[in-house]
Amino acid sequence: DADVTQTPRNRITKTGKRIMLECSQTKGHDRMYWYRQDPGLGLRLIYYSFDVKDINKGEISDGYSVSRQAQAKFSLSLESAIPNQTALYFCATSDRTSASVAQYFGPGTRLTVL
Amino acid sequence: AQSVAQPEDQVNVAEGNPLTVKCTYSVSGNPYLFWYVQYPNRGLQFLLKYITGDNLVKGSYGFEAEFNKSQTSFHLKKPSALVSDSALYFCAVRPIRLSGGYNKLIFGAGTRLAVHP
């Protein structure tokens, strides 16, 4: 969805390096999410944010941190990357009006940690 | 534990034939149910959802899904498959908590649909 952009699209890094993945959205949504996708495991939630001052851990937050710089921007950091963080990372957004609304996903960032 | 199961890693269908991608779930209460599709090098795209009402819901690209409460299933269907439907399909469930708080989406592992000419 072109309304949700992620940079970079691909990144190869080495163990121990600090990495930041960025997400921007023009949908005007309050809620933003970071997921990782691993083959055979589906998507798992890393962090989510309901607004600039509200950030929450998801089911697999260890080894990650986030920053919500503005309503439209939500960054994911790996302070010291390790090989098992090799995955496809997705940012998503949703409107806060109802739990029944769908989430809108960015194109993903493929991260490889050597 | 709450979970979503997509029992088939891959579904192979000939173009023009009907297709079904299966999803069952184990959550408490009456959850909201979603299907997403992921094309190569793209993010997930919303296809359809079931919130309440008619058990058969229609979505994008001619897809529909049938909710079966007794079997806790939400199978994705299409009467006539196209080669362009080949993609990775994810079922997702959002449990509803009456006490409030955030109810995260629980995703299945995904099913790869391959439609052959």
Side-chain angles (χ1 to χ4, degrees), chain B residues 65-79:
Chain B
E66 186 170 15
F67 169 63
N68 187 315
K69 186 175 182 178
S70 63
Q71 297 184 2
T72 60
S73 67
F74 189 53
H75 299 333
L76 182 69
K77 300 181 179 184
K78 187 173 183 181

Side-chain angles (χ1 to χ4, degrees), chain A residues 26-38:
Chain A
T26 59
K27 298 189 76 69
H29 288 166
D30 294 307
R31 299 183 171 186
M32 298 186 74
Y33 312 82
W34 275 105
Y35 292 90
R36 66 175 280 175
Q37 181 184 8
D38 298 277

Side-chain angles (χ1 to χ4, degrees), chain A residues 33 37 50 90 99-100 103 106, chain B residues 36 38 43 49 90 94 102:
Chain A
Y33 312 82
Q37 181 184 8
F50 283 178
F90 286 106
S100 66
Q103 293 184 4
Chain B
Y36 287 84
Q38 183 182 20
K49 66 181 178 183
F90 289 96
R94 171 170 283 136
Y102 176 60

Side-chain angles (χ1 to χ4, degrees), chain A residues 62-84:
Chain A
D62 287 349
Y64 302 94
S65 63
V66 291
S67 174
R68 185 82 183 266
Q69 301 95 323
Q71 187 201 35
K73 296 183 182 297
F74 192 35
S75 300
L76 176 72
S77 293
L78 288 67
E79 297 301 325
S80 179
I82 56 177
N84 75 0

Side-chain angles (χ1 to χ4, degrees), chain B residues 53-99:
Chain B
D54 193 347
N55 289 344
L56 186 65
V57 293
K58 296 186 182 298
S60 306
Y61 312 121
F63 283 93
E64 56 192 25
E66 186 170 15
F67 169 63
N68 187 315
K69 186 175 182 178
S70 63
Q71 297 184 2
T72 60
S73 67
F74 189 53
H75 299 333
L76 182 69
K77 300 181 179 184
K78 187 173 183 181
S80 179
L82 299 172
V83 173
S84 58
D85 293 329
S86 298
L88 189 56
Y89 291 81
F90 289 96
C91 180
V93 172
R94 171 170 283 136
I96 303 304
R97 289 165 43 185
L98 297 177
S99 59

Side-chain angles (χ1 to χ4, degrees), chain A residues 9 31 33 35 37 40-43 45 48 50 59 88 90 99-103 105-107, chain B residues 32 34 36 38 41-44 46 49 51 88 90 94 96 102-105 107-110:
Chain A
R9 293 293 310 277
R31 299 183 171 186
Y33 312 82
Y35 292 90
Q37 181 184 8
L41 294 179
L43 275 73
L45 184 63
Y48 62 100
F50 283 178
E59 59 184 309
L88 189 54
F90 286 106
S100 66
V101 297
Q103 293 184 4
F105 287 79
Chain B
Y32 297 149
F34 302 82
Y36 287 84
Q38 183 182 20
N41 299 314
R42 300 286 298 276
L44 278 70
F46 168 71
K49 66 181 178 183
I51 305 302
L88 189 56
F90 289 96
R94 171 170 283 136
I96 303 304
Y102 176 60
N103 307 297
K104 70 179 182 71
L105 271 178
F107 284 86

